[in-house]
Amino acid sequence: MSRIQQAFQEKKAFIPFITCGDPDLETTEKLVYAMEEAGAALIELGIPFSDPTAEGPVIQEASLRALTGGVTTDKIFDMVKRIRQKTQIPLVFMTYANVVFSRGIGHFARQAAEAGIDGLILPDVPFEEKEEFDGPCREYGLDFISLIAPTSHERIRMIAEKASGFVYCVSSLGVTGTRSSITTDTGAMVRVVKETKNIPCAVGFGISTPEQASKIGATADGVIVGSAIVKLCGQYGRECVPHVAEYVKKMAAALEKQEQPSPDRSKCVN
Amino acid sequence: MKKGRYGIHGGQYIPETLMNAVTELEEAYEFYKKDPQFNAELTELLNEYAGRPSRLYFARRMTEDLGGAKIYLKREDLNHTGAHKINNVLGQILLAKKMGKTRVIAETGAGQHGVATATAAALMGMECEVFMGEEDTKRQALNVYRMRLLGAKVHAVTSGTATLKDAVSETMREWTRRIDDTHYVLGSCMGPHPFPEIVRDFQSVISREIREQLLEKEGRLPDAVLACVGGGSNAIGAFYHFIGDESVRLIGCEAAGRGVDTAETAATIATGKLGIFHGMKSYFCQDEYGQIAPVYSISAGLDYPGVGPEHAYLYDKGRAEYVAVTDDEAVDAFEYLSRTEGIIPAIESAHAVAYARKLAPEMGKDQIMVINISGRGDKDCAAIARYRGEDIHE
């Protein structure tokens, strides 16, 4: 069983996203350990891109901070190697097509796999263009993660059929960033995926509060949170680790509660 | 070739959220491009509203001065709104209207595409929002005012280098936010399929006319067609109907900025490499890690780190040539055409004029060159004055 599959085995998976090198790679490394300790089941590591077209202002600014600080794909691979010596938590890269393409897709996939990465998410590579990336990823044992969106409708089955690792369900229209309410019926999206293939579904985009995590977690296998965490990194800089850890703990706990409703809570309802 | 591909270039590298929207657009376009009613309406708009066909003008004084090829200017600057951009915009807005869309969004660099979109939106009674790099809103303040006057909302984009590439990114982001009632009027022959094809088809009226007009005037085809290239919409429009005629040299003039050996350049084919960005595979100015380079040109309309996929393909095949023209050369040409022919070209188009000044004397007197004057230069006067150290108030 792959590390990604294991992440979804026992409980609902809380999946935090951080931008590598924001504010520096030392802090990124510390964040990985602290978030695992706080209950993260899988971690998304963003390789910053100069022009992240699927991101809202929070992650755009984090990417800029990281790149200005001098982070590069080479330095990120080195960091992942260090992390892998200390932990077995599943790690997936999230970045943009050109970061992978410019290195040579096969070269990137091989180096990522050797460093200990488990999967790759590219928001600007839809189903129609995925073969070019999916082939090399499979060759080196990386899961190329597919995304579905509120506008996917009849495309969901086609995407789910060829999905590997887990399916990233985009909860809202627009770019990444926190939202006060999420109106998409993510449960229905997950149902269509599950009818097609038995694969874990994690929901992301817009989620920031324990209440949202708990509600969405009721019908999904995992919840992904990016901007709310990256905001803490921006706010506290090198001092962000305890703040992020505390937040992850709260969110992971909210998801767990969802999984096994306590007797106390049902009493409250009555 | 695969659908939406130009050799290895093109494709649809966009978020899943937009996939159904581009598929819907592709289906609508496939239907309407063959619909006689649609084509009749578009021709009516192009002729009666935009003022087509545009003139093919024999530049006698420039021809005499340079002493080589006979030079014709394709006067896209005489179109309504002052540039070739209106050709594409009228087509796309008519298409959007047929698709039931009530709102259009657009990116703009120099402001010409934004003005054209705001104009057509006013004409068709559609809501319009334009995204423009903050840096460009300063360089092209007059065009910002024109768009507002036409009823459009203009958003100054502050992310990245605050120029055209950031305006494109922000318009794409806006499209993922609101898709149902909104069409993205992409202004150049770039982005995800079907945009490069749609924009090329709507702009190809330029080469169709050049061909007819020159056959009528000279009874033959030109030996060279020159056009400036940012994303490349006026160039692909001017080249398209000559691609099959190997005797016609097709020359795209890129913006070298302060020079292709400096970091302050926007000459993609001269300095870029293969990549994936803004929905397409093509050539892009980028660093060794695939980070998109902050490009520079005096011309806001050519200040873009990529080039349309069909140009990348024509370059690969050796069918079209691409040359780089510096700020200095373009500004000289801007002044040269103004004084020699009494025509003030857009600083973008001045890049093509600049290369023509080098090439024409090398050509024979029996040869014919056509320069596409893609837009007029009123919008650039203040910036060129500043470049020459003179501060004028608009």
Side-chain angles (χ1 to χ4, degrees), chain A residues 73-116:
Chain A
T73 312
D74 288 329
K75 292 179 186 170
I76 292 169
F77 279 137
D78 290 343
M79 175 196 70
V80 172
K81 281 182 208 156
R82 289 197 299 273
I83 291 173
R84 212 17 115 215
Q85 286 167 1
K86 297 191 186 167
T87 165
Q88 287 306 305
I89 190 165
L91 298 170
V92 302
F93 271 150
M94 177 149 178
T95 187
Y96 285 77
N98 204 45
V99 170
V100 177
F101 183 81
S102 72
R103 205 174 182 85
I105 301 171
H107 193 53
F108 184 99
R110 184 173 58 77
Q111 287 187 314
E114 281 171 7

Side-chain angles (χ1 to χ4, degrees), chain A residues 48-53 55 60 72 74 98 102 123-124 126 128-129 132 149 151-152 154-155 159 173-174, chain B residues 5 11-17 19-20 159 165-166 169 173 176-177 274-277 281 286 289-292:
Chain A
F49 179 52
S50 53
D51 301 81
T53 49
E55 314 296 349
Q60 281 180 48
T72 65
D74 288 329
N98 204 45
S102 72
D124 56 348
E128 280 72 2
E129 304 291 354
E132 188 179 2
T151 51
S152 295
E154 77 291 347
R155 295 170 51 82
I159 295 167
L173 292 179
Chain B
R5 288 280 173 179
Q12 294 179 307
Y13 299 89
I14 49 171
E16 170 61 22
T17 305
M19 277 308 296
N20 263 327
S159 58
K165 92 176 154 73
D166 309 289
S169 295
R173 291 185 184 115
T176 64
R177 275 180 208 116
L274 191 63
I276 296 170
F277 184 50
K281 187 178 279 181
Q286 54 185 305
Y289 294 105
Q291 307 292 347
I292 303 302

Side-chain angles (χ1 to χ4, degrees), chain A residues 168 170-172 175-182 203-209 212 216 224-228:
Chain A
Y168 190 134
V170 175
S171 74
S172 314
V175 292
T176 56
T178 58
R179 287 163 175 79
S180 54
S181 73
I182 288 163
V203 178
F205 272 49
I207 302 165
S208 63
T209 67
Q212 287 172 325
I216 284 174
I224 304 166
V225 172
S227 295

Side-chain angles (χ1 to χ4, degrees), chain A residues 10-263:
Chain A
E10 286 159 23
K11 52 180 185 176
K12 306 274 178 178
F14 180 69
I15 305 175
F17 166 94
I18 51 174
T19 300
C20 293
D22 173 36
D24 54 37
L25 286 175
E26 254 172 62
T27 310
T28 301
E29 192 177 338
K30 285 184 201 155
L31 278 170
V32 170
Y33 308 135
M35 292 194 298
E36 181 183 20
E37 175 78 31
L42 186 158
I43 294 171
E44 276 185 28
L45 294 173
I47 303 180
F49 179 52
S50 53
D51 301 81
T53 49
E55 314 296 349
V58 171
I59 297 177
Q60 281 180 48
E61 284 160 21
S63 307
L64 185 65
R65 283 195 298 269
L67 289 171
T68 310
V71 78
T72 65
T73 312
D74 288 329
K75 292 179 186 170
I76 292 169
F77 279 137
D78 290 343
M79 175 196 70
V80 172
K81 281 182 208 156
R82 289 197 299 273
I83 291 173
R84 212 17 115 215
Q85 286 167 1
K86 297 191 186 167
T87 165
Q88 287 306 305
I89 190 165
L91 298 170
V92 302
F93 271 150
M94 177 149 178
T95 187
Y96 285 77
N98 204 45
V99 170
V100 177
F101 183 81
S102 72
R103 205 174 182 85
I105 301 171
H107 193 53
F108 184 99
R110 184 173 58 77
Q111 287 187 314
E114 281 171 7
I117 289 290
D118 301 288
L120 177 63
I121 306 173
L122 300 176
D124 56 348
V125 177
F127 179 80
E128 280 72 2
E129 304 291 354
K130 84 175 233 178
E131 195 45 50
E132 188 179 2
F133 292 88
D134 196 22
C137 281
R138 252 178 303 171
E139 193 183 334
Y140 296 104
L142 294 183
D143 285 316
F144 187 75
I145 308 298
S146 298
L147 293 97
I148 58 171
T151 51
S152 295
H153 308 301
E154 77 291 347
R155 295 170 51 82
I156 297 179
R157 284 172 205 283
M158 165 181 93
I159 295 167
E161 215 163 89
K162 295 276 174 68
S164 68
F166 66 91
V167 171
Y168 190 134
C169 305
V170 175
S171 74
S172 314
L173 292 179
V175 292
T176 56
T178 58
R179 287 163 175 79
S180 54
S181 73
I182 288 163
T183 53
T184 306
D185 184 356
T186 54
M189 287 164 74
V190 171
R191 267 199 307 280
V192 180
V193 173
K194 301 278 189 184
E195 281 166 21
T196 314
K197 187 173 190 169
N198 183 23
I199 186 168
C201 293
V203 178
F205 272 49
I207 302 165
S208 63
T209 67
E211 293 71 32
Q212 287 172 325
S214 170
K215 188 173 163 226
I216 284 174
T219 51
D221 303 299
V223 164
I224 304 166
V225 172
S227 295
I229 293 171
V230 173
K231 206 179 261 172
L232 292 172
C233 300
Q235 193 179 341
Y236 295 104
R238 288 190 185 85
E239 315 301 320
C240 70
V241 181
H243 299 279
V244 171
E246 190 190 331
Y247 175 81
V248 170
K249 205 173 214 170
K250 205 169 59 182
M251 294 295 279
L255 259 183
E256 284 215 39
K257 247 186 240 154
Q258 152 48 45
E259 219 252 328
Q260 291 167 323
S262 69

Side-chain angles (χ1 to χ4, degrees), chain B residues 140-287:
Chain B
Q140 303 287 350
L142 181 62
N143 273 342
V144 174
Y145 182 75
R146 287 167 80 195
M147 288 184 269
R148 293 206 173 115
L149 186 65
L150 291 158
K153 199 168 170 184
V154 181
H155 301 272
V157 177
T158 54
S159 58
T161 48
T163 58
L164 180 54
K165 92 176 154 73
D166 309 289
V168 174
S169 295
E170 207 49 46
T171 318
M172 283 183 167
R173 291 185 184 115
E174 174 60 23
W175 205 21
T176 64
R177 275 180 208 116
R178 191 167 155 188
I179 303 170
D180 275 359
D181 64 347
T182 300
H183 173 68
Y184 177 7
V185 184
L186 226 162
S188 194
C189 54
M190 47 159 284
H193 173 70
F195 283 107
E197 183 184 327
I198 290 179
V199 177
R200 177 252 280 155
D201 287 354
F202 288 143
Q203 291 296 359
S204 68
V205 65
I206 301 173
S207 51
R208 196 168 66 229
E209 287 177 6
I210 295 174
R211 209 183 162 92
E212 287 168 8
Q213 290 165 325
L214 202 63
L215 282 173
E216 197 186 304
K217 286 175 197 286
E218 298 277 353
R220 52 169 293 213
L221 296 180
D223 297 284
V225 177
L226 278 69
C228 62
V229 176
S233 71
N234 90 81
I236 204 71
F239 293 172
Y240 187 65
H241 289 285
F242 296 112
I243 291 174
D245 303 294
E246 293 288 339
S247 68
V248 182
R249 281 178 73 183
L250 305 175
I251 304 171
C253 304
E254 295 193 307
R258 300 207 161 90
V260 291
D261 48 353
T262 74
E264 291 171 293
T265 180
T268 306
I269 288 183
T271 67
K273 61 174 186 167
L274 191 63
I276 296 170
F277 184 50
H278 279 162
M280 58 183 169
K281 187 178 279 181
S282 186
Y283 294 109
F284 295 96
C285 299
Q286 54 185 305
D287 73 8

